[in-house]
């Protein structure tokens, strides 16, 4: 399905990362992939995970460092000369902002969360456009806390709301170039980042009882949806936020 397509994947920290599930789904369909990692400590993880992908490009990219972002896209240009899809699966907020009341969010925590978790989608899209010569697809990861109040999610919910709005504005700007931009609103999954949210265990248990499917979503299922969104099967879908949450968002009382 993705033979001859080149994708760039941001946000693999370890084998539990949603980004890694996306990489596996796209890799199995023949995509050539470039991975970015944040900081030297994650380089080894990404190298180990991708050892069976000989063509994979692995480059450092902290989105708060524009020189690293530019260099990452230059590496992809040098290696492949094109880009067909980009998966943005990164987010960060200081741990102390992910508990207690949203009211006490500091300016620093707010700016950091919004910069890394929301602005980076626009930043990376701008860098990707020149390489998306035959159109393309950009996918980002959101969460229900963008729409409704979720205890402890706080500033990250505000960042995800900005991320989903950015998805729509980018979809309008880039549609002329046949570049689609969509978000996946994933149900909670026990990853490294998720552990930063207080009471994650209790939330997973509650959700498993309440969803129409009576279970939590698996990273693999989010990866498969990303595969759909970067493939031509979704060629008329742009600006959407698709829930991959076992139906949790449709439940009222
Ligand atoms: P992971 O911790 O596996 O992935 C998050 C990634 O973001 C890490 O690789 C992390 O690197 C990276 N990151 C953080 N700061 C930066 C930065 N400055 N520059 C570049 N990369 C950075 O967790 P998930 O797979 O759970 O998260 C992936 C995405 O999915 C996030 O956007 C998250 O909000 C979203 N999501 C997660 C859900 C869940 O329940 N797990 C539910 C819905 C959405 P590092 O480890 O070095 O910080």
């Amino acid at each position: 399905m993705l033979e001859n397509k080149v994708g760039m994947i941001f946000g693999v920290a370890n084998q539990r990362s949603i980004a890694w599930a996306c990489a596996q789904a796209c890799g199995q369909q023949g995509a050539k992939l470039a991975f970015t990692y944040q900081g030297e400590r994650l380089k080894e993880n990404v190298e180990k995970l991708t050892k069976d992908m000989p063509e994979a490009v692995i480059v450092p990219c902290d989105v708060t460092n524009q020189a690293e972002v530019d260099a990452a896209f230059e590496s992809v240009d040098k290696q492949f000369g094109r880009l067909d899809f980009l998966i943005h699966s990164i987010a960060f907020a200081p741990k102390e902002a992910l508990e207690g009341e949203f009211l006490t969010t500091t300016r620093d925590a707010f700016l950091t969360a919004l910069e890394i978790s929301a602005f980076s989608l626009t930043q990376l899209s701008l860098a990707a456009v020149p390489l998306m010569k035959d159109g393309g697809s950009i996918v980002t990861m959101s969460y229900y806390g963008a729409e409704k109040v979720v205890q402890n999610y706080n500033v990250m919910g505000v960042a995800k709301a900005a991320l989903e709005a950015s998805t729509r504005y980018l979809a309008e700007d880039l549609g002329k170039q046949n570049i689609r931009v969509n978000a996946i609103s994933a149900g909670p999954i026990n990853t490294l980042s998720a552990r930063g949210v207080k009471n994650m265990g209790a939330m997973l248990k509650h959700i498993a009882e309440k969803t129409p499917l009576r279970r939590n979503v698996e990273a693999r299922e989010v990866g498969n949806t990303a595969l759909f969104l970067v493939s031509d099967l979704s060629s008329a879908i742009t600006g959407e936020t698709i829930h991959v949450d076992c139906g949790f968002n449709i439940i009222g009382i």
Side-chain angles (χ1 to χ4, degrees), residues 13 16 22 24 35 47 66 74 174-175 183 200 202 207 249:
R16 285 175 189 261
C22 297
Q24 286 180 296
F35 295 88
E47 281 175 348
Q66 187 60 42
E74 271 163 33
L174 298 178
M200 183 68 188
I207 286 177
N249 76 95

Side-chain angles (χ1 to χ4, degrees), residues 10-14 16-20 36-39 41-42 61-65 88-92 116-117 140-144 153 156 160 163 184-194 200 204:
F10 291 78
V12 177
N14 57 36
R16 285 175 189 261
S17 297
I18 293 173
W20 178 239
T36 67
Y37 60 88
Q38 201 234 145
R41 80 202 148 83
L42 291 183
C61 184
D62 178 337
V63 294
T64 62
N65 181 338
H88 171 277
S89 187
I90 63 184
F92 177 78
I116 297 176
S117 316
T140 186
M141 298 299 157
S142 191
Y143 176 61
Y144 188 60
Y153 203 61
M156 192 54 84
K160 292 300 191 192
L163 182 72
I184 293 173
S185 182
I189 299 171
N190 202 357
T191 61
L192 199 61
S193 293
M200 183 68 188
L204 284 166

Side-chain angles (χ1 to χ4, degrees), residues 14-253:
N14 57 36
Q15 79 282 0
R16 285 175 189 261
S17 297
I18 293 173
W20 178 239
C22 297
Q24 286 180 296
C26 295
Q28 278 157 16
Q29 292 300 321
K32 295 187 186 71
L33 298 173
F35 295 88
T36 67
Y37 60 88
Q38 201 234 145
E40 283 304 307
R41 80 202 148 83
L42 291 183
K43 184 179 182 187
E44 207 178 309
N45 283 2
V46 180
E47 281 175 348
K48 273 192 196 144
L49 286 169
T50 58
K51 68 177 185 326
D52 297 329
M53 299 179 173
E55 279 188 299
V57 169
I58 302 171
V59 281
C61 184
D62 178 337
V63 294
T64 62
N65 181 338
Q66 187 60 42
E68 276 192 14
V69 172
D70 295 341
F73 282 88
E74 271 163 33
S75 299
V76 169
D77 192 14
K78 212 167 134 200
Q79 177 77 8
F80 302 114
R82 60 182 286 123
L83 186 64
D84 299 288
F85 64 89
L86 184 155
I87 296 177
H88 171 277
S89 187
I90 63 184
F92 177 78
K95 199 169 167 51
E96 62 277 13
L98 299 174
E99 58 181 57
E101 293 192 339
F102 171 69
L103 180 67
T104 57
T105 307
T106 63
R107 182 186 303 264
D108 270 0
F110 189 96
L111 294 177
T112 300
L114 271 281
E115 180 187 7
I116 297 176
S117 316
F119 173 69
S120 62
L121 178 69
T122 302
Q123 176 189 23
L124 298 181
S125 298
L126 184 66
V129 168
L131 290 180
M132 291 187 163
K133 295 164 186 165
D134 301 319
S137 175
I138 297 170
V139 176
T140 186
M141 298 299 157
S142 191
Y143 176 61
Y144 188 60
E147 303 165 59
K148 302 281 178 183
V149 173
V150 173
Q151 215 181 12
N152 297 321
Y153 203 61
N154 298 350
V155 71
M156 192 54 84
V158 175
K160 292 300 191 192
L163 182 72
E164 291 182 11
S166 303
T167 299
R168 292 185 284 273
Y169 279 90
L170 290 169
E172 160 57 16
D173 286 348
L174 298 178
K176 306 182 272 297
Q177 294 164 67
N178 196 28
I179 298 172
R180 300 181 292 110
V181 189
N182 290 291
I184 293 173
S185 182
I189 299 171
N190 202 357
T191 61
L192 199 61
S193 293
R195 287 192 201 141
V197 182
K198 209 176 173 207
N199 291 338
M200 183 68 188
M203 194 203 281
L204 284 166
K205 187 165 178 287
H206 170 80
I207 286 177
E209 287 163 4
K210 298 286 178 227
T211 63
L213 295 179
R214 302 291 190 278
R215 64 175 178 85
N216 283 296
V217 68
E218 291 172 24
R220 179 183 55 81
E221 297 171 304
V222 178
N224 286 340
T225 308
L227 165 63
F228 165 70
L229 287 173
V230 303
S231 80
D232 292 340
L233 290 177
S234 59
S235 54
I237 300 177
T238 195
E240 288 290 344
T241 297
I242 298 182
H243 293 94
V244 183
D245 63 351
C246 298
F248 183 76
N249 76 95
I250 66 159
I251 298 297
I253 296 175

